[in-house]
């Protein structure tokens, strides 16, 4: 892979444009756009974070109050920092928001003189983002008071009151026609369905079966909506956009602490659910009952590919080049938090290593921390807090279009049992430090590629697209393919003196990625020409 130079960023606000031609970065109170091919500056804007008159009046009244409520002198600089930034869907516009001052600035990429300014009133600003149409900005107020939809076309604003959560509990359907929002009216959970093509006109409003909604997830087809209770009860409901409750799932006995992760299969026919007991439930879309239940293993059975990060490889390679994982023979016992396995530093000192393990120590000692299908739905990624250094990959076989419904135990066309739909553990990736982030490649043509970050001076790559080139004859090639691995796992060093990959984000085309540290970032791109050496550019 080729790596760029190290650049500054604020609050991890770095994003490729939808077409991957540009890169947006927020640095304190400035938005910077670079070309992704040369990283030359294309545009730069300074955000005017001057508070609105309402916000200024509230700030002056608080400064006149008790000393504990007065604004400190150094707060003015922090108030001007950009807290949210993003691209419109067509890469024509960018936004930058300062939540503390309640100001959202919008700029046009092709017209450097054009700008728009959106001001939140006394309700404040918690979050700002683009709607999928690329011409509407969603602003979530503080304290769950309302959501404001600002239209750049008409200049009008639409208000929806009392959203339950500002950071979750809402979704757009993939056709961008409907917007669903979890609301709370008269101490009851409700759902509003709004027509985004008609200025967010209310289409339906109905009560939800939850008592204290934790979040919701809309299926990829837009037909089903999964809603689940808070941490006091493990209960998940499936409702339609018409308000009908299609199914309810609650395991017996209740493991406690509620639903932790939910992930839809890309086809919308299956739903993976997990809680704090390291048990994954696969629900089907006919009866919404589990067709498969499996526990995350502590001992890896035979036949599973186990890959382990080589010890001390960063010191040996000086953070440059790449090295394959070590292959371990299964069965193998996973290192867990209960076994008190110490994470060995690959490069950073102990002070930085403690920050790298903060994500795992802040969670409970058990429970699933990530559950994600790849874009094709053929693989399921699972991470658990009880094994923070491991990434488990499951094969997820799906029935063909002419296969039976999930409620049948035997296929009427092939005679195959329904057990063939059960996910099977395929590979396990083990690392020296706890895994901080793991993301599938978004390109459907590269669905079997995975990138992992562990807060070290490296990025870890796994792929099931390893192709064995035949040396002599088709028969020999087939025998060789059976002997050789059909997957590859590599450790790639980041050629920088001080850099820890704490998060990563794929480019929309899947050919590159953003590697994020606390205050800096770099980009890594595939080397298309064979034999080209990787290094800093």
């Amino acid at each position: 892979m080729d790596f760029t130079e190290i650049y500054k960023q604020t609050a991890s606000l770095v994003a490729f444009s939808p077409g991957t031609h540009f890169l947006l970065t927020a640095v304190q109170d400035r938005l910077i756009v670079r070309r992704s091919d040369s990283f030359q500056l294309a545009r730069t804007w300074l955000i005017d974070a001057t508070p609105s008159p309402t916000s200024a009046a509230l700030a002056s009244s608080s400064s006149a109050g008790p000393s504990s409520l007065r604004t400190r002198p150094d707060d003015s600089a922090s108030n001007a920092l950009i807290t949210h930034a993003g691209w419109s869907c067509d890469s024509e516009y960018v936004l930058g928001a300062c939540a503390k001052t309640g100001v959202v600035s919008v700029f046009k990429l092709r017209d450097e003189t054009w700008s728009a300014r959106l001001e939140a009133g006394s309700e404040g600003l918690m979050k700002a983002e683009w709607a999928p149409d690329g011409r509407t900005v969603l602003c979530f107020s503080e304290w769950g008071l309302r959501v404001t939809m600002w239209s750049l076309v008409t200049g009008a604003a639409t208000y929806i009151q009392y959203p339950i959560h500002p950071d979750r509990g809402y979704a757009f359907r993939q056709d961008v026609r409907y917007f669903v929002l979890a609301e709370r009216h008269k101490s009851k959970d409700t759902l509003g369905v709004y027509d985004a093509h008609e200025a967010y006109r209310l289409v339906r409003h109905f009560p939800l079966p939850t008592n204290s909604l934790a979040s919701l997830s809309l299926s990829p087809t837009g037909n089903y909506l999964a809603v689940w209770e808070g941490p006091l009860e493990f209960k998940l409901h499936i409702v339609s956009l018409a308000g009908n409750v299609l199914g309810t799932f609650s395991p017996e006995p209740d493991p406690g602490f509620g639903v932790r992760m939910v992930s839809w299969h890309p086809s919308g026919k299956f739903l993976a659910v997990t809680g704090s007991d390291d048990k994954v439930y696969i629900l089907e879309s006919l009866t919404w009952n589990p067709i498969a239940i499996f526990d995350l293993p502590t001992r890896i059975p035979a036949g599973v590919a186990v890959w382990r990060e080589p010890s001390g490889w960063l010191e040996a390679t000086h953070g440059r080049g790449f090295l394959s994982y070590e292959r371990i023979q299964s069965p193998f016992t996973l290192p867990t938090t209960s076994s008190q396995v110490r994470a060995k530093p690959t490069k950073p000192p102990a002070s930085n290593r403690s920050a790298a393990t903060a994500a795992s120590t802040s969670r409970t000692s058990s429970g699933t921390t990530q559950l994600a299908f790849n874009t094709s739905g053929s693989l399921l990624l699972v991470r658990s807090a009880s094994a923070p250094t491991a990434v488990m990959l499951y094969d997820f076989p799906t029935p063909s279009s002419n296969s039976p419904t999930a409620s049948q135990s035997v296929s009427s066309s092939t005679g195959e049992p329904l057990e063939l739909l059960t996910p099977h553990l395929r590979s396990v990736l083990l690392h020296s430090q706890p895994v901080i982030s793991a993301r599938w490649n978004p390109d459907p043509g590269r669905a079997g590629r995975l990138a992992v970050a562990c807060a070290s001076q490296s990025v870890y790559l796994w792929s099931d697209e390893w192709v064995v080139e035949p040396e002599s004859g088709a028969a020999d090639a087939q025998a060789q393919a059976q002997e050789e691995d059909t997957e590859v796992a590599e450790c790639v060093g980041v050629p920088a003196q001080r850099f820890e990959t704490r998060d990563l984000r794929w480019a929309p085309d899947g050919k590159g990625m953003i590697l994020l540290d606390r205050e800096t970032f770099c980009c890594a791109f595939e080397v298309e020409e064979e034999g080209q050496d990787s290094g800093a550019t």
Side-chain angles (χ1 to χ4, degrees), residues 366-441:
S366 64
T368 305
T369 58
Q370 186 176 0
L371 190 68
F373 285 99
N374 64 343
T375 55
S376 65
S378 60
L379 293 167
L380 175 64
L381 180 150
V382 184
R383 291 198 294 121
S384 173
S386 60
T389 62
V391 175
M392 287 167 275
L393 306 177
Y394 287 80
D395 274 324
F396 193 89
T398 57
S400 59
S401 58
N402 60 351
S403 63
T405 60
S407 61
Q408 295 173 314
S409 59
V410 179
S411 171
S412 58
S413 59
T414 63
E416 296 177 346
L418 189 60
E419 296 177 354
L420 295 179
L421 297 179
T422 303
H424 298 282
L425 184 61
R426 169 177 177 161
S427 302
V428 177
L429 307 179
L430 299 177
H431 306 87
S432 301
Q433 295 182 222
V435 176
I436 303 298
S437 177
R439 298 183 187 270
W440 290 110
N441 193 307

Side-chain angles (χ1 to χ4, degrees), residues 79-397:
N79 289 345
L81 296 180
I82 299 174
T83 57
H84 301 83
W87 290 95
S88 63
C89 61
D90 55 1
S91 306
E92 287 289 332
Y93 297 89
V94 298
L95 70 79
C98 299
K100 291 187 178 181
T101 59
V103 175
V104 181
S105 299
V106 183
F107 304 97
K108 194 172 185 179
L109 186 62
R110 297 186 180 182
D111 187 357
E112 196 170 3
T113 61
W114 186 95
S115 65
R117 176 183 168 93
L118 310 176
E119 296 180 353
S122 58
E123 72 274 10
L125 179 66
M126 179 67 69
K127 180 181 180 182
E129 66 177 35
W130 286 103
D133 63 354
R135 297 298 180 270
T136 305
V137 179
L138 273 62
C139 296
F140 291 81
S141 67
E142 294 179 335
W143 317 113
L145 295 178
R146 67 184 185 185
V147 183
T148 306
M149 289 78 170
W150 295 93
S151 174
L152 298 182
V153 178
T154 64
T158 303
Y159 303 97
I160 303 176
Q161 290 185 322
Y162 310 129
I164 296 180
H165 304 291
D167 56 344
R168 60 190 187 278
Y170 65 95
F172 281 90
R173 211 168 70 169
Q174 281 194 354
D175 59 3
V176 198
R177 179 63 188 271
Y178 295 109
F179 172 69
V180 297
L181 176 68
E183 307 165 13
R184 193 161 183 84
H185 296 273
K186 297 181 180 180
S187 301
K188 294 184 179 180
D189 294 342
T190 60
L191 187 81
V193 182
Y194 301 88
D195 192 337
H197 290 181
E198 297 185 12
Y200 292 88
R201 176 181 61 88
L202 178 63
V203 177
R204 286 186 178 88
H205 198 267
F206 52 87
L208 289 172
T210 55
N211 295 318
S212 179
L213 182 138
S215 188
L216 60 81
S217 180
L218 189 62
S219 69
T221 59
N223 298 331
Y224 311 115
L225 186 71
V227 297
W228 55 93
E229 296 282 0
L232 298 180
E233 187 177 10
F234 194 119
K235 183 178 288 186
L236 179 140
H237 308 275
I238 305 295
V239 299
S240 66
L241 296 188
N244 301 320
V245 179
L246 304 177
T248 298
F249 172 70
S250 180
E252 294 293 342
D254 191 331
F257 301 105
V259 176
R260 174 165 288 190
M261 293 288 168
V262 170
S263 180
W264 283 99
H265 189 270
S267 66
K269 297 180 180 179
F270 304 97
L271 180 66
V273 185
T274 184
S276 59
D277 57 349
D278 279 341
K279 185 175 293 185
V280 180
Y281 305 87
I282 306 296
L283 312 182
E284 47 83 21
S285 60
L286 183 62
T287 63
W288 299 109
N289 290 324
I291 61 170
I293 303 174
F294 60 92
D295 295 292
L296 300 185
T298 57
R299 183 170 175 81
I300 306 302
V304 177
V306 181
W307 302 90
R308 183 172 61 187
E309 176 186 358
S311 177
W313 71 275
L314 272 174
E315 290 82 354
T317 60
H318 302 286
R320 298 179 179 273
F322 62 92
L323 191 67
S324 297
Y325 278 65
E326 295 176 350
R327 184 69 178 267
I328 303 176
Q329 294 295 329
S330 56
F332 178 80
T333 302
L334 280 179
T336 60
T337 53
S338 59
S339 61
Q340 299 180 352
V341 176
R342 296 182 180 179
K344 298 180 180 180
T346 54
K347 189 67 176 177
S351 59
N352 294 336
R353 187 174 68 252
S354 61
T357 59
S360 62
T361 56
S362 63
R363 297 178 180 268
T364 58
S365 59
S366 64
T368 305
T369 58
Q370 186 176 0
L371 190 68
F373 285 99
N374 64 343
T375 55
S376 65
S378 60
L379 293 167
L380 175 64
L381 180 150
V382 184
R383 291 198 294 121
S384 173
S386 60
T389 62
V391 175
M392 287 167 275
L393 306 177
Y394 287 80
D395 274 324
F396 193 89

Side-chain angles (χ1 to χ4, degrees), residues 417-488:
L418 189 60
E419 296 177 354
L420 295 179
L421 297 179
T422 303
H424 298 282
L425 184 61
R426 169 177 177 161
S427 302
V428 177
L429 307 179
L430 299 177
H431 306 87
S432 301
Q433 295 182 222
V435 176
I436 303 298
S437 177
R439 298 183 187 270
W440 290 110
N441 193 307
D443 182 16
R446 297 175 170 86
R449 299 189 182 185
L450 176 73
V452 179
C454 297
S456 60
Q457 189 189 327
S458 58
V459 61
Y460 306 90
L461 304 176
W462 179 89
S463 175
D464 67 348
E465 302 171 1
W466 184 261
V467 179
V468 178
E469 297 182 358
E471 295 182 356
S472 59
D476 295 340
Q478 183 177 2
Q480 184 181 1
Q482 294 177 354
E483 295 178 0
E484 296 290 338
D485 295 324
T486 58
E487 59 186 58
V488 60

